[in-house]
Amino acid sequence: KTPPFVMVLIILELMKADNIKKHIPLVLLAALLMLMIVCPLVMIFAKAVIVDGRLDFLSVWQTLKADGNLEMIGNSLLLGVLVVIVSTIIAAPLAYLFSRTSFARYRFFDIIFMIPFMTPPYIASMGWILFMQKRGLLQQFIPAMAGSEKWFFSLGGLVIVMSLHVFPFMLTMLKNAMLNIPSSLEESGAVFGAGFARRLRKIFLPLISGNYAIGALLVFVKTIAEYGTPATLGKRFGFEVFTTEIHRCATVAPIQFGKSATLASVLIGVCLVMWMLQNYITSRKSYNLVGGKGSRFAEIRLPLIVKVLAWAYIAVVLILAIGIPYFSIISTSLIKLRGYGFAAGNFTFAHYIELFTENVKGVSAIKNSLFLATTSASICAVLGTALVLAIRGSKSRLKKVVEAIGLLPEMLPSIVLVIGIMLFWNQIYNILPMYNTMGILVLAYVVLFLPYTVQYVTSSFTQISESLMAAGRGFGGSPFYIFRKITMPLIIKGIVTGWMMTFIIAFRELVTASLIAPPNTLVVSTYIMREFEQGSVSIGMAMAVLCVLLTTTALLILNRFIDRQKG
């Protein structure tokens, strides 16, 4: 019952060959990360296999084979595979167009195609539901489309909506892989008489297979770990997946923490298997295409008809991924009476005004989200920077372990970590009474988003030469003076970037707040979900628009800051 103290003993044992006093900061950070990250994960596995104080692996199997659970696991795996396939179909032509043809000149599309990913998935899902539901916006504009909702509210509709959210992952991976393929390889194939299809099959596809495996893994893991879209769209036709079932077991009476822990453990196992499979594929399908020789890029000229079709394809993808969900969200937020639908004179800004005047819970949700996002981003900035500094300044064998623990939350589904935090902090409530407080939400956000700061600050550190530090020491500068005058100015961009990314994602986070928020405490995401489910759709969509505007503005400020730093 005292895992933090056990973890400290383990750390000290690992450090026994080192000078502990010299590495006190690293030891303290290791103990803190053990408490925040490792202990909750250990608690998940313990809760899954320990029943009434004894090991009972049979209970795990009994949980898995219970009615509906095997079907739910199959649903999750099927959904992941189908989303990988559909996102590949969407992304592959775009990657080829923007890497090998004249479309590569249009660099602004790199930002445009990231909009679907930056849009919270539950908000995009709500936009599609409003557009495709019975007597929704589509049927108001085109009455002949009556009955189309039957097709949309199915596995096919869920796959398409989720694919339109994650395809930018695949697009980025495939495009970068194609950019590294020298044009001379394709030209050599053409010289030896290979047609376009044969060159594609024999040269192009084998060379991008390693990068594709990485992209497919990211999309698969992102899909099976996603909660928002299955919770809003999937549950409308009874399609249960890992995340929705884990959430239900942990929040709906009768509470079944043991079952949620078991399912979370299985979800971790699936993700680990996918990581190993991806490493196996990439280790055998990686090619060194960038070497000392320069590579020439030969732009492929497209016939006029092909170029027209390419523009049409780009337009269709943008309409589906951005146009429809945003049109639905914005128009619904402006509709006065939903019964009259999209008609002249039935528009108003009253829903936005109400959010800041009469709607006390809406104002409270915004304040709570701002507080949580600002606080967690600031703590992540301080803790992540301290972690990187301690790792960079230590030669201990422990530093690799500490760095791996700090980055671990990025590799795991967020709902798994949140379940672990629930179980662990509930277990030690008598020692540290944080459960059911705003403090537990801040802690969960810090755990989930710490890797952002660690990665961005580490990236900034790689550009700093050790000779600068040596020069500071040579002129008698104290460690604090060197940090304040040399290190800090050089890594401030990474710190600010990590802070802003944490703020953006924490402000709209859904699964954490829906699981462990204190009673009667709403944030922006849970407020939107509640209003949407209770029928106050226009109010909910007004909040969604404000959420997107605020996070988009923060992202633009971040890009502006980065551009000024480069200048």
Side-chain angles (χ1 to χ4, degrees):
K1 292 185 179 180
T2 57
F5 304 106
V6 176
M7 293 300 177
V8 171
L9 291 176
I10 293 173
I11 294 167
L12 294 177
E13 182 65 22
L14 289 171
M15 298 283 295
K16 65 181 180 181
D18 295 311
N19 183 350
I20 294 179
K21 290 183 179 179
K22 183 179 178 181
H23 302 292
I24 285 178
L26 190 63
V27 173
L28 293 176
L29 284 169
L32 181 61
L33 292 179
M34 289 282 189
L35 179 68
M36 293 170 56
I37 300 172
V38 177
C39 289
L41 289 176
V42 171
M43 186 61 72
I44 289 175
F45 293 110
K47 192 72 175 178
V49 300
I50 296 178
V51 180
D52 297 328
R54 60 183 176 82
L55 285 174
D56 187 357
F57 292 98
L58 182 61
S59 64
V60 176
W61 172 243
Q62 290 174 342
T63 298
L64 293 180
K65 72 175 185 178
D67 291 343
N69 283 348
L70 289 177
E71 181 183 358
M72 175 272 299
I73 294 173
N75 287 344
S76 298
L77 299 178
L78 176 62
L79 181 63
V81 171
L82 291 177
V83 170
V84 168
I85 294 172
V86 175
S87 61
T88 301
I89 293 172
I90 296 172
L94 295 173
Y96 189 84
L97 286 173
F98 290 106
S99 63
R100 314 298 292 181
T101 73
S102 57
F103 283 86
R105 303 172 188 172
Y106 306 120
R107 302 297 299 274
F108 60 89
F109 277 110
D110 292 342
I111 297 175
I112 293 176
F113 279 115
M114 288 306 294
I115 293 176
F117 171 65
M118 291 304 298
T119 304
Y122 60 93
I123 291 180
S125 175
M126 291 175 185
W128 270 101
I129 291 172
L130 293 169
F131 188 77
M132 293 296 298
Q133 67 186 358
K134 189 175 183 180
R135 291 187 294 275
L137 294 175
L138 175 63
Q139 295 179 22
Q140 290 179 34
F141 287 119
I142 310 176
M145 294 299 293
S148 59
E149 73 278 0
K150 296 178 182 177
W151 167 85
F152 177 74
F153 291 101
S154 66
L155 177 59
L158 180 62
V159 168
I160 289 176
V161 171
M162 296 191 77
S163 300
L164 289 171
H165 173 68
V166 298
F167 85 88
F169 276 120
M170 191 69 75
L171 173 59
T172 300
M173 296 301 300
L174 292 178
K175 179 183 174 183
N176 290 338
M178 292 178 186
L179 287 172
N180 287 331
I181 299 176
S183 298
S184 57
L185 294 179
E186 284 191 274
E187 292 170 351
S188 299
V191 168
F192 283 95
F196 175 77
R198 186 174 178 81
R199 296 198 305 271
L200 194 67
R201 189 175 71 256
K202 293 293 186 179
I203 299 175
F204 221 71
L205 294 182
L207 292 177
I208 66 172
S209 58
N211 292 71
Y212 176 74
I214 298 174
L217 168 76
L218 289 172
V219 169
F220 183 88
V221 171
K222 176 73 175 173
T223 301
I224 65 173
E226 172 59 37
Y227 168 73
T229 306
T232 52
L233 177 56
K235 75 175 185 179
R236 295 202 167 208
F237 57 94
F239 193 83
E240 294 291 339
V241 294
F242 268 119
T243 51
T244 54
E245 184 65 11
I246 292 171
H247 188 278
R248 186 189 66 79
C249 291
T251 57
V252 179
I255 303 298
Q256 303 174 70
F257 281 137
K259 183 177 178 180
S260 64
T262 299
L263 295 177
S265 301
V266 174
L267 183 54
I268 292 175
V270 171
C271 293
L272 289 176
V273 169
M274 293 305 300
W275 281 112
M276 290 188 288
L277 179 61
Q278 177 258 314
N279 288 330
Y280 176 82
I281 294 173
T282 52
S283 65
R284 285 159 176 75
K285 295 292 183 179
S286 295
Y287 303 92
N288 296 321
L289 298 175
V290 181
K293 291 184 177 181
S295 58
R296 178 176 55 85
F297 171 70
E299 181 182 287
I300 297 175
R301 296 183 178 275
L302 300 175
L304 179 60
I305 184 64
V306 176
K307 188 174 289 188
V308 171
L309 291 174
W311 277 115
Y313 180 72
I314 293 170
V316 169
V317 172
L318 291 178
I319 290 171
L320 294 176
I322 303 173
I324 288 177
Y326 274 92
F327 169 76
S328 301
I329 294 164
I330 295 172
S331 60
T332 302
S333 72
L334 296 172
I335 288 177
K336 186 185 300 183
L337 297 172
R338 292 188 64 210
Y340 288 99
F342 205 83
N346 193 34
F347 297 98
T348 179
F349 286 99
H351 305 302
Y352 291 92
I353 298 172
E354 182 182 340
L355 278 177
F356 294 99
T357 54
E358 302 173 15
N359 198 314
V360 178
K361 290 186 177 179
V363 173
S364 176
I366 295 172
K367 290 180 179 178
N368 288 337
S369 288
L370 287 173
F371 167 76
L372 290 168
T374 303
T375 305
S376 59
S378 301
I379 295 174
C380 282
V382 174
L383 182 58
T385 303
L387 181 62
V388 175
L389 289 171
I391 292 171
R392 301 281 297 189
S394 174
K395 296 181 181 179
S396 167
R397 295 173 300 173
L398 183 63
K399 68 177 186 179
K400 290 293 183 182
V401 177
V402 175
E403 184 177 21
I405 295 174
L407 294 174
L408 186 59
E410 187 181 37
M411 306 173 192
L412 296 172
S414 58
I415 194 169
V416 169
L417 281 166
V418 177
I419 290 294
I421 290 170
M422 287 177 64
L423 296 173
F424 176 69
W425 288 94
N426 187 46
Q427 184 74 17
I428 64 169
Y429 183 81
N430 292 331
I431 303 172
L432 292 172
M434 285 184 62
Y435 194 73
N436 264 345
T437 67
M438 290 292 282
I440 196 70
L441 267 177
V442 173
L443 174 69
Y445 283 14
V446 170
V447 169
L448 291 175
F449 307 129
L450 180 62
Y452 289 106
T453 298
V454 173
Q455 288 180 323
Y456 284 118
V457 175
T458 300
S459 177
S460 297
F461 252 110
T462 59
Q463 303 171 14
I464 302 176
S465 173
E466 181 59 31
S467 60
L468 292 176
M469 310 298 178
R473 291 190 294 267
F475 282 95
S478 65
F480 179 72
Y481 181 86
I482 293 172
F483 171 75
R484 184 166 54 89
K485 291 294 187 179
I486 299 176
T487 306
M488 188 65 178
L490 293 174
I491 66 172
I492 188 64
K493 183 174 73 173
I495 296 172
V496 173
T497 303
W499 189 98
M500 193 66 77
M501 288 302 297
T502 301
F503 177 89
I504 291 171
I505 299 176
F507 184 83
R508 67 193 200 190
E509 167 65 19
L510 171 62
V511 68
T512 306
S514 65
L515 278 170
I516 59 175
N520 300 318
T521 300
L522 293 173
V523 296
V524 164
S525 57
T526 53
Y527 179 87
I528 294 171
M529 288 285 288
R530 193 193 70 159
E531 296 299 309
F532 186 79
E533 292 172 352
Q534 293 182 353
S536 302
V537 179
S538 294
I539 290 288
M541 293 305 98
M543 180 68 86
V545 172
L546 292 176
C547 174
V548 171
L549 284 177
L550 193 148
T551 53
T552 303
T553 301
L555 186 62
L556 292 174
I557 292 172
L558 173 61
N559 288 333
R560 178 66 175 169
F561 171 80
I562 294 174
D563 291 341
R564 290 185 65 179
Q565 290 292 313
K566 289 180 180 179

